[in-house]
Amino acid sequence: MVEVNYSQRRPSTVISIDRIPELKGWRQNGDRIEMGACMTYSEMEDPLFAAYVPSLAQAARTVGSPQIRNAGTLGGNLATASPAGDTLPPLAALNAQITLRSLRGERITTLSNLITGVKSANLGRDEVIVKVSVEAVDGPQEFLKAGTRNAMVISVATVALVLDAARRQVRIALGSVSPVPLRASAAEGWIADQVNWESPSVPDKEAVEHFGELVASAATPITDHRSTSGYRSHAVGVMAKRALARALS
Ligand SMILES: Cc1cc2nc3c(=O)[nH]c(=O)nc-3n(C[C@H](O)[C@H](O)[C@H](O)COP(=O)(O)OP(=O)(O)OC[C@H]3O[C@@H](n4cnc5c(N)ncnc54)[C@H](O)[C@@H]3O)c2cc1C
């Protein structure tokens, strides 16, 4: 609608998919959580859902206004492929699998294969996003967002952190600091070696500082009307340290 309002898009046909039962809501399937493409942000805020996928619930809570959260959907956020899409970093950190369907059949893809650039998704003209599936991870998850104000704000930088105790992994994904959601792989590998997995607690100050520096150096942000690239890199470093401390304390 933003593109329509600015005359950047003049669709001749609009198909409503919000009453297709298969695309709605979420369900548990074994050790995985499956979310229909038409699941709304408001539904992600539900405490029942938040207990399984807290980072996505935290991200949903920061999106737009209550009206936007009632109308906007997970599939819409994915297909828009905006670098500022708030559900994207949690999905990247959760290694989400995305199911797409067309008359030619079904395919399952990853976020990094689906989102190829700024507002560019590897999505056929006849393909619809059906569902998104993530593992129900044993461990805390965090989502932090920096913007120019507290609510109704497009993110300047975001961080999603998932502590996967079973695999002894700290997975961290960044938003709004590159054309596509970014995993801070060097930071992930390094901090996983610093955590005492038998009895997790926050590593010493120097280790946390170095983790923040590694996350900041993974970012490849631009300077635009919302922020400078320097601030964006700094912000993801600070938020990553906070997310780590919250997850491990
Ligand atoms: C005032 C305002 C504030 C906002 N604030 C935020 C914010 O804070 N954070 C944030 O991340 N976003 C924000 N947004 C953007 C919003 O989250 C997305 O535009 C929304 O998720 C789109 O979802 P939708 O279901 O309405 O999709 P639509 O607007 O209906 O569709 C968007 C695009 O996705 C395609 N599409 C939708 N569903 C599917 C599907 N299942 N399969 C294939 N293609 C599909 C459509 O064809 C279209 O091209 C905001 C938008 C507005 C207007």
Side-chain angles (χ1 to χ4, degrees), residues 9 17 37 41 63-64 68 73 76-77 79-80 84-86 128-129 145 153:
R9 231 177 180 195
I17 57 171
Y41 302 112
V63 172
I68 297 295
T73 66
N77 209 218
T80 304
D86 285 321
V128 69
I129 300 168
K145 171 169 168 175
V153 67

Side-chain angles (χ1 to χ4, degrees), residues 21-170:
E22 188 187 348
L23 303 186
K24 291 164 87 86
W26 66 279
R27 60 207 73 84
Q28 189 176 4
N29 185 357
D31 63 351
R32 299 192 72 84
I33 303 299
E34 293 181 350
M35 297 156 267
C38 288
M39 184 177 184
T40 63
Y41 302 112
S42 298
E43 288 170 332
M44 292 176 218
E45 292 180 77
D46 182 337
L48 259 182
F49 177 79
Y52 287 108
V53 201
S55 57
L56 210 45
Q58 289 171 36
R61 217 170 286 141
T62 74
V63 172
S65 60
Q67 293 92 331
I68 297 295
R69 295 197 290 274
N70 283 338
T73 66
L74 188 57
N77 209 218
L78 277 166
T80 304
S82 162
D86 285 321
T87 67
L88 308 183
L91 294 179
L94 288 161
N95 295 327
Q97 293 178 352
I98 300 140
T99 302
L100 310 163
R101 197 179 295 163
S102 69
L103 286 176
R104 289 168 283 119
E106 200 169 85
R107 67 180 173 111
I108 296 175
T109 191
T110 59
L111 194 71
S112 56
N113 284 329
L114 180 71
I115 298 183
T116 51
V118 176
K119 297 198 173 169
S120 170
N122 177 14
L123 199 59
R125 280 175 62 83
D126 58 347
E127 268 185 321
V128 69
I129 300 168
V130 177
K131 67 178 176 190
V132 180
S133 155
V134 299
E135 202 180 16
V137 178
D138 171 24
Q141 303 174 17
E142 299 291 337
F143 174 84
L144 285 94
K145 171 169 168 175
T148 49
R149 55 188 182 188
N150 262 348
M152 273 295 287
V153 67
I154 295 181
S155 64
V156 157
T158 54
V159 164
L161 184 140
V162 171
L163 204 80
D164 187 337
R167 293 196 178 81
R168 301 193 164 193
Q169 289 177 348
V170 179

